[in-house]
Amino acid sequence: MAVSQQVFLRDAMRRLNLTRDVFAARIGVKRRALDTWLLPEGSLEARSMPEVVQRFVTEIVENDALLSKYSQSAQSGPLRDRIAVGGKHQLLSVDQFTRESVEELFSVADIMQPIARRQKVSRVLEGAVLGNLFFEASTRTRVSFGAAFCRLGGSVCDTTGFTFSSMAKGESIYDTSRVMSGYVDAMVIRHPDQGSVAEFAHATNIPVVNGGDGAGEHPSQALLDLYTILTEFSRLGKLMDGAHIALVGDLKYGRTVHSLIKLLALYRGLKFTLISPHGLEMPEDILEKVAASGLHTIEQTHSLEEGLVGADVIYATRVQKERFSEGQDDGYTAEFQVNRAIVEQVCGPDVIVMHPLPRDSRPGAHDLSVDLNMDPRLAIFRQADNGIPVRMAIFAVLLGVENLVQHSMRDVTWSPPSHIGSDDAAFHGMY
Ligand code: ASP
């Protein structure tokens, strides 16, 4: 098998759009057996899938692909050409994706998992240099993009803030972008002004990734969020189509929810409950886009308690104070806080609680509470961990090396810890 059995099986389930239970029944095996084949290599309970099962699954997937070829126009050509914007291999908005292309990207992310889990190394981007240009605060996005590039064998040059860049001397976006393009092979850019990353992208032909443009978009975050939901749903036996997603907090300025709701809208029959204080509602133009398909239900409420009832996913966000005008009140009172009490009171045992992070843990902020930290329904650290395989997949696709990764992998020479965080021992073996 060219790919690992976990990648093979997850890809098959995604293509066939089947839950684990239905997939196990379809291929005539016990759900428990399927679960052990899906565990990461090296985990104690992991088992090898018999060859006859592999052949059977391949046959089912091929037949399904043949059928859908007759019912829809076949996708062809490299993924980077299909998601290109203005003919360039850049990632500026989730609008560049279809359901098929986003799931193809996730198959590449699955291939990256052994590298992200520090079992394997790869050098497919050896010699390539990434320019990480962050003109706004960042920890996760900047470091995880950098680490993802390094884990594929490339190296990274960083700049942070305006103060130490030539923009403080009045340099234009065009000049900065053109100059950087002579130094590096790809750029990730974060900037406080909406539309500014697209301006950078216009001035260059090298791959540019939008790392967040003001209140605009944060496409890589939405991609890793969707990847997380699909992974968690696979474990819980749920499908994306028909899911109930509750988005909570600052939906006006929060760019992660702007990108995420559009990406989720690629699926069918979703119910979105949008919960925010007065004045921080989701912008109308985004709501119109999501509603345009006629496939989804959108409800808006100012009551957290009512909005969370029946949710499969709670996606909490931070109030984006940095985008408020001086003295503006956020209206974000304690009633909006997602915490243990409200989750126990209104949610089921298989809800997942997400947040793009950082969460504001200062008193009075009422952001996602730390009292859920040891609750396995809290997926925030698994979500943040997924930033690595998804961002590796983005680079591999934009730089056209996704087909080289599998065969380039070697075992790591050091010994990483079996659990990377003190909180995740409880979740070990969940997949
Ligand atoms: N890290 C996310 C962003 O850059 C979320 C946040 O800052 O609240 O948009």
Side-chain angles (χ1 to χ4, degrees):
M1 202 174 0
V3 294
S4 74
Q5 77 181 30
Q6 293 79 12
V7 171
F8 171 78
L9 288 169
R10 286 176 63 174
D11 188 51
M13 283 190 284
R14 223 167 14 226
R15 280 172 198 255
L16 300 168
N17 196 25
L18 299 179
T19 61
R20 275 196 202 187
D21 282 329
V22 180
F23 181 69
R26 175 85 172 80
I27 62 173
V29 302
K30 291 227 157 50
R31 162 75 196 256
R32 177 76 201 123
L34 177 61
D35 284 345
T36 59
W37 301 338
L38 281 160
L39 288 170
E41 264 165 56
S43 85
L44 278 180
E45 285 134 60
R47 296 286 175 274
S48 290
M49 162 180 65
E51 218 183 297
V52 58
V53 177
Q54 185 206 325
R55 277 204 299 273
F56 187 43
V57 173
T58 308
E59 217 169 89
I60 299 175
V61 171
E62 279 172 1
N63 281 342
D64 186 74
L66 216 59
L67 279 177
S68 58
K69 209 167 154 183
Y70 291 115
S71 56
Q72 52 178 254
S73 62
Q75 302 277 347
S76 61
L79 178 55
R80 66 175 182 166
D81 290 345
R82 277 179 280 127
I83 62 168
V85 47
K88 297 182 186 180
H89 300 137
Q90 301 180 329
L91 174 56
L92 306 180
S93 160
V94 293
D95 296 341
Q96 293 167 239
F97 285 94
T98 60
R99 179 168 174 166
E100 288 72 30
S101 56
V102 88
E103 293 191 348
E104 221 176 303
L105 180 83
F106 292 163
S107 299
V108 180
D110 283 347
I111 292 173
M112 302 298 184
Q113 284 290 7
I115 307 176
R117 290 178 205 268
R118 302 139 212 221
Q119 293 157 336
K120 300 279 178 188
V121 289
S122 168
R123 309 288 304 161
V124 284
L125 287 186
E126 189 161 18
V129 179
L130 172 71
N132 236 349
L133 275 60
F134 278 67
F135 301 102
E136 206 186 48
S138 173
T139 305
R140 253 154 307 277
T141 308
R142 188 170 60 84
V143 176
S144 67
F145 266 120
F149 207 81
C150 290
R151 288 196 186 278
L152 287 172
S155 38
V156 183
C157 297
D158 270 296
T159 76
T160 47
F162 284 102
T163 326
F164 299 107
S165 87
S166 283
M167 286 204 168
K169 300 178 183 171
E171 188 172 51
S172 68
I173 286 182
Y174 182 92
D175 285 3
T176 307
S177 179
R178 173 60 190 87
V179 169
M180 288 301 295
S181 309
Y183 302 160
V184 300
D185 304 289
M187 287 190 271
V188 178
I189 297 156
R190 171 170 286 186
H191 195 283
D193 298 335
Q194 190 164 344
S196 53
V197 179
E199 219 180 311
F200 265 97
H202 277 305
T204 179
N205 285 329
I206 69 167
V208 169
V209 179
N210 181 357
D213 62 325
E217 281 221 36
H218 196 343
S220 67
Q221 177 71 49
L223 287 164
L224 75 90
D225 292 340
L226 174 58
Y227 182 77
T228 302
I229 298 173
L230 289 170
T231 310
E232 299 279 321
F233 274 15
S234 159
R235 173 175 60 79
L236 295 166
K238 294 184 178 183
L239 285 179
M240 199 66 234
D241 292 321
H244 178 184
I245 315 286
L247 303 177
V248 185
D250 183 352
L251 309 183
K252 179 176 180 182
Y253 297 113
R255 57 193 170 202
T256 69
V257 279
H258 297 168
S259 292
L260 181 59
I261 195 169
K262 290 195 286 172
L263 201 57
L264 289 170
L266 297 175
Y267 287 78
R268 260 178 285 147
L270 270 68
K271 176 176 171 185
F272 294 108
T273 306
L274 310 180
I275 309 159
S276 63
H278 287 279
L280 293 185
E281 291 90 357
M282 180 75 72
E284 274 304 317
D285 60 319
I286 298 178
L287 288 180
E288 275 163 24
K289 264 194 183 165
V290 175
S293 65
L295 295 173
H296 310 292
T297 314
I298 305 173
E299 281 173 12
Q300 301 202 62
T301 172
H302 302 294
S303 160
L304 184 66
E305 205 178 315
E306 280 168 24
L308 295 189
V309 176
D312 296 297
V313 177
I314 303 172
Y315 190 97
T317 61
R318 178 181 66 88
V319 177
Q320 310 283 295
K321 277 277 189 203
E322 64 275 33
R323 311 206 193 289
F324 281 47
S325 43
E326 217 23 51
Q328 190 183 338
D329 180 33
D330 58 25
Y332 205 76
T333 54
E335 288 81 66
F336 287 98
Q337 187 179 44
V338 176
N339 54 29
R340 200 184 172 95
I342 189 112
V343 171
E344 291 296 348
Q345 189 192 328
V346 294
C347 299
D350 60 0
V351 68
I352 55 169
V353 182
M354 300 174 64
H355 191 298
L357 301 179
R359 55 179 157 171
D360 188 341
S361 299
R362 289 170 291 194
H366 311 306
D367 204 341
L368 174 63
S369 171
V370 293
D371 68 2
L372 279 161
N373 276 12
M374 286 300 152
D375 189 319
R377 291 174 289 188
L378 187 78
I380 57 173
F381 297 118
R382 303 195 288 278
Q383 179 187 0
D385 289 346
N386 283 333
I388 295 289
V390 170
R391 289 179 168 128
M392 288 171 82
I394 292 170
F395 286 133
V397 166
L398 292 180
L399 293 157
V401 296
E402 72 268 35
N403 295 327
L404 304 178
V405 177
Q406 186 68 40
H407 296 292
S408 71
M409 287 193 206
R410 287 179 288 110
D411 288 342
V412 293
T413 47
W414 70 94
S415 316
S418 60
H419 304 127
I420 52 174
S422 56
D423 61 307
D424 63 350
F427 313 131
H428 190 65
M430 252 170 44
Y431 298 97

